[in-house]
Each structure stands twice: as C-alpha cells, then as structure tokens.
Amino acid sequence: MARTETLDVVAVGNAIVDVVARAEDRLLRRHGLTKGTMRLVDEAAARHLYDAMGPGIEISGGSAANTVAGVASLGGRAAFIGKVRDDQLGQVFRHDIQAAGVAFATAPASDGAATARCLIMVTPDAQRTMSTYLGACVGLGPADIDAQVIGSAQVTYLEGYLWDPPQAKAAFRLAMKVASEKGRQVALTLSDPFCVDRWRDEFRDLVDNHVDILFANETEIIALYRAKDFAEALNAVRGKTAFAALTRSEKGSVVLAGDDTYVIAAEPDVQLVDTTGAGDLYAAGFLHGLTQGRDPATCGRIGSLCAAEAISHFGARPETALAELVRRRNL
Ligand SMILES: Nc1ncnc2c1ncn2[C@@H]1O[C@H](COP(=O)(O)OP(=O)(O)OP(=O)(O)O)[C@@H](O)[C@H]1O
Ligand SMILES: [Mg+2]
C-alpha cells in the first residue's frame, strides 16, 4: 500500500520556556508546592516565585514540544503546533525547536500575554516541581490547527496540559477529529495528577472513545481511575486503547498492547541529575519505535533509553543525538 504520511509525529501543546534552578525542599514548603507536580500561576505569582529562586538557566520546554524534539533527535519527522508571543522568549522557543529539526509554523500572537514560562525547582533528590505561567498559550485555538499537517502525520500527540487554557480544548478536539478522519493515530499524555483531577471525566471519555496510544505515569493513571494502587489502575485501563505505556520512574514502565503486557526495565546506572523530561522523552522513544513499525517491547526499551538521557542533565530537551544512543545499543 502506498504510504501518504510525510510526518511521523505532530504534537500539539503549550509552548513554554523553562527556568530551571536547584532548590531545597524548604523552598517548596514555603511556597506551598507539591513535589513532582505542576501548578498554574498568574504573572504576578510567577514574578514573586522567580525572585525567590536561586540562579537558573533558561531552556525551551513544553511537554509535547520536548517529545517531538526527542522524535527529531531519533531521526523521525516531526512537527509542533503551539502558541508563543512575538517577544524574545517566543523567538528563543521558535529557534530552539526548529534547530532541533522540528517543523513549527504556528503564527505567534502579536498582542496580549507574553510567551509562557515554567519555573522548575529541582530538589536534591533530582525531582522536579513546576509553576507555570501560561501566558500566550491561552491564545491557541482551532484556527491554529493546520489540517494538512495533522493529516500528513502517522501520529497526532496531544498533552493533557492543553486542557487548562480554555480555547485550546477546541483546538485539541479539532486536531483529534482531523487525525481520526484521515485514519491516523491519536496519542495522549495525561501530563500531571492535578491536571487529571481537574479534567477527570473528560479525560476518561477521551481514553474510552478517542485515544489510540495513552501515556501516563503511575500517579496519573491512579488519579484517572481513583484506583487504590497501580495494579488496580492497570486493570481499569486495560483494553481501553490500542497501546498504553505507563511509566513508573526507577521501576521502569508497563506497556499494554492488546491482550499483552510487557514489563520494561528502567535503564540501569543512570546518572540522576534532574528528572524533568523523563516522561516526555520516554514518549518520544516509544512513539519513534511505533512509527518505525517496531514491536511494543522494543518501543518501551527505546523509551527507557531516551528517558535516561533526559534525566542525566538539567532541562528536558535531549543533549545527545538520541539516534546514536539507540544505534549503539543495537535497538
Ligand atoms: N530514577 C530513575 N532511574 C532510572 N530511570 C528513570 C528514573 N526516573 C525515570 N526513569 C525513566 O523515565 C521513564 C519515565 O519516568 P517517570 O515515570 O518518572 O515519568 P514522568 O513522571 O512523566 O517524568 P517527568 O514528568 O518528570 O518528565 C521511566 O519509565 C524510566 O524509564
Ligand atoms: Mg510527566
């Protein structure tokens, strides 16, 4: 059969520049932050928190954007749809994602809120805690969904975080509709346990009726089903999607594919510096494997390998050519 795809993965997500800094646990406590999660803040709160943070580094981020940067680093063909403002951070975001080899053609906003920022505190245990000012992301709407781009990609990857800016939900639904009309696959990441709490009923409907490939970490899948533990959540999600890849930090991941279950180990001996991007890069590896026609267990192993790269340095974007890591591992 002739293949009509010209892209492997197109992602729709919040376009964000990260500010990453080391922090002690007491700073999290003082600001009422829950470790390992993401909370939304307004511009004033973001400024206040930034003033309280130690020296930081600015790196382009955005969960789904990190994932497509990973796909491109693996040698896949990738595109991104998301909203920045035409300000300096917006230019940084655009430069970085294009330099990573990802097509990015969404028009920037020429007025309104500034490009989104995420303040990331990395505690001595390498865990990350995020406070996000969504800024220009609230301007993403259905008009930004390029049906031709979505229609030309094997997989449309959507982040749960996109349910927070109100108009983006319509963009999300339109992207899903176009993808399924073209017979493409729809992938979703649940993003964050608090995000799942905010949108539980809608996310369950998406998983039941629209999603082919689901990504979630342990706390997110437990939150989705209000399960008592991981085993109960696993049973609840089994059979709902063609593939589900559930990540469990150092315990690795569990991949469900049809009736089959694969338990995938995390990489041994990883240099744990900053876990930001572990889930994002796991998804990159998994999706790249899948779009190259690899079996589910191999997809999971490529995911683990990419996640290990992400956690070995500050920031979520890959710093090593992931294709080379995969080649060296004979995956
Ligand atoms: N401490 C660790 N040691 C080894 N591998 C890890 C570790 N933490 C994460 N990983 C790898 O990363 C994958 C995804 O991790 P995790 O479940 O923490 O995702 P996540 O919570 O979405 O991460 P984040 O949102 O911080 O990017 C795991 O399946 C595993 O392969
Ligand atoms: Mg995550």
Coordinates of all heavy atoms in Angstrom, one line a residue, residues 127-128 217 220 247-250 252-253 266-267 270 272 275-280 282 303-304 307 311, ligand 1:
Q127 N 14.2 15.4 41.8 CA 12.8 15.5 41.4 C 12.5 17.0 41.0 O 13.1 17.9 41.5 CB 11.9 15.1 42.6 CG 10.4 15.2 42.4 CD 9.8 14.3 41.3 OE1 9.8 14.7 40.1 NE2 9.4 13.1 41.6
R128 N 11.5 17.1 40.1 CA 11.2 18.5 39.6 C 9.8 18.9 40.0 O 8.9 18.1 40.0 CB 11.4 18.6 38.1 CG 10.1 18.4 37.2 CD 9.7 17.0 37.2 NE 8.5 16.7 36.4 CZ 7.2 16.9 36.7 NH1 6.9 17.3 37.9 NH2 6.3 16.6 35.9
N217 N 2.1 8.5 33.8 CA 2.9 7.9 34.9 C 2.0 7.3 35.9 O 0.8 7.4 35.8 CB 4.0 9.0 35.4 CG 3.3 10.1 36.3 OD1 2.2 9.9 36.7 ND2 4.1 11.1 36.5
E220 N -0.6 9.5 37.7 CA -1.6 10.0 36.8 C -2.6 8.9 36.5 O -3.9 9.2 36.5 CB -1.0 10.5 35.5 CG -0.2 11.8 35.7 CD 1.0 11.9 34.7 OE1 1.0 11.2 33.7 OE2 1.8 12.8 34.9
T247 N 4.5 4.8 32.9 CA 5.9 4.9 33.4 C 5.8 4.9 34.9 O 4.9 5.5 35.5 CB 6.6 6.1 32.8 OG1 5.8 7.3 33.2 CG2 6.7 6.1 31.3
R248 N 6.9 4.4 35.5 CA 7.0 4.2 37.0 C 8.4 4.6 37.5 O 8.9 4.0 38.3 CB 6.7 2.8 37.4 CG 5.4 2.2 36.7 CD 5.2 0.8 37.3 NE 4.7 0.8 38.6 CZ 4.6 -0.2 39.4 NH1 4.9 -1.4 39.0 NH2 4.2 -0.1 40.7
S249 N 8.9 5.7 37.0 CA 10.2 6.2 37.4 C 11.2 5.1 37.4 O 11.4 4.4 36.4 CB 10.1 6.9 38.8 OG 9.3 8.0 38.6
E250 N 12.0 4.9 38.5 CA 13.1 3.9 38.5 C 12.6 2.5 38.4 O 13.3 1.6 38.1 CB 14.0 4.1 39.8 CG 13.4 3.7 41.1 CD 12.4 4.8 41.6 OE1 12.3 5.9 41.0 OE2 11.7 4.5 42.6
G252 N 10.7 1.6 36.0 CA 10.6 1.4 34.5 C 9.2 1.6 34.1 O 8.5 2.6 34.5
S253 N 8.6 0.8 33.2 CA 7.3 1.1 32.6 C 6.6 -0.3 32.4 O 7.2 -1.3 32.3 CB 7.4 1.9 31.4 OG 8.2 1.2 30.4
A266 N 13.8 0.1 33.7 CA 14.4 1.4 33.5 C 15.9 1.1 33.2 O 16.4 0.0 33.5 CB 14.3 2.3 34.8
E267 N 16.6 2.1 32.6 CA 18.0 1.9 32.3 C 18.7 1.8 33.6 O 18.5 2.5 34.6 CB 18.5 3.1 31.6 CG 18.2 3.2 30.2 CD 18.9 2.1 29.4 OE1 20.1 2.1 29.3 OE2 18.2 1.2 28.8
V270 N 21.8 4.9 35.6 CA 21.7 6.3 35.0 C 22.2 7.3 36.0 O 22.1 7.2 37.2 CB 20.2 6.6 34.7 CG1 19.7 5.9 33.5 CG2 19.3 6.5 35.8
L272 N 21.5 10.4 37.7 CA 20.2 11.1 38.0 C 20.6 12.5 38.4 O 21.1 12.7 39.5 CB 19.5 10.3 39.1 CG 18.1 10.7 39.5 CD1 17.2 10.7 38.4 CD2 17.6 9.8 40.7
T275 N 15.0 15.0 36.9 CA 14.0 14.1 36.2 C 13.1 14.9 35.2 O 12.4 14.2 34.5 CB 13.1 13.4 37.2 OG1 12.4 14.4 38.0 CG2 13.9 12.5 38.1
T276 N 13.3 16.2 35.1 CA 12.4 16.9 34.2 C 12.6 16.3 32.8 O 13.7 16.2 32.3 CB 12.9 18.4 34.1 OG1 13.0 18.9 35.4 CG2 11.9 19.2 33.2
G277 N 11.5 16.0 32.1 CA 11.5 15.5 30.8 C 11.6 13.9 30.7 O 11.6 13.4 29.6
A278 N 11.7 13.2 31.8 CA 11.8 11.8 31.7 C 10.6 11.2 31.0 O 10.7 10.4 30.0 CB 11.8 11.2 33.1
G279 N 9.4 11.6 31.4 CA 8.2 11.1 30.7 C 8.1 11.6 29.3 O 7.6 10.8 28.4
D280 N 8.5 12.8 29.0 CA 8.4 13.4 27.7 C 9.3 12.6 26.7 O 8.9 12.3 25.6 CB 8.8 14.9 27.7 CG 8.0 15.7 28.6 OD1 6.9 15.3 28.9 OD2 8.5 16.8 29.0
Y282 N 10.6 9.6 27.3 CA 10.1 8.2 27.2 C 9.1 8.1 26.0 O 9.1 7.3 25.2 CB 9.5 7.8 28.5 CG 8.9 6.4 28.4 CD1 9.6 5.2 28.8 CD2 7.6 6.1 27.9 CE1 9.1 4.0 28.7 CE2 7.1 4.9 27.8 CZ 7.8 3.8 28.2 OH 7.3 2.5 28.0
G303 N 12.1 3.9 24.7 CA 11.6 5.0 25.6 C 12.5 5.1 26.9 O 12.9 6.2 27.3
S304 N 12.8 4.0 27.5 CA 13.7 4.0 28.7 C 15.0 4.6 28.4 O 15.5 5.4 29.2 CB 13.9 2.5 29.2 OG 12.8 2.0 29.8
A307 N 14.6 8.4 28.1 CA 14.3 9.0 29.4 C 15.6 9.1 30.2 O 15.9 10.1 30.9 CB 13.3 8.1 30.1
I311 N 17.2 12.5 32.0 CA 17.4 12.7 33.5 C 18.9 12.9 33.8 O 19.2 13.2 35.0 CB 16.8 11.6 34.3 CG1 17.4 10.3 34.1 CG2 15.3 11.6 34.0 CD1 16.7 9.2 34.8
Ligands
LIG1 N1 15.3 7.4 38.8 C1 15.2 6.8 37.6 N2 16.1 5.9 37.2 C2 16.1 5.4 36.0 N3 15.2 5.6 35.1 C3 14.2 6.5 35.4 C4 14.2 7.2 36.7 N4 13.2 8.0 36.7 C5 12.6 7.9 35.5 N5 13.2 7.0 34.7 C6 12.9 6.6 33.3 O1 12.0 7.5 32.8 C7 10.7 7.0 32.5 C8 9.6 7.9 32.8 O2 9.8 8.3 34.1 P1 8.6 8.9 35.0 O3 7.6 7.8 35.3 O4 9.2 9.5 36.2 O5 7.9 10.0 34.1 P2 7.2 11.3 34.5 O6 6.8 11.3 35.9 O7 6.3 11.7 33.5 O8 8.5 12.3 34.4 P3 8.5 13.9 34.3 O9 7.1 14.3 34.3 O10 9.3 14.3 35.4 O11 9.2 14.1 33.0 C9 10.7 5.7 33.3 O12 9.9 4.7 32.7 C10 12.1 5.3 33.3 O13 12.5 4.6 32.0

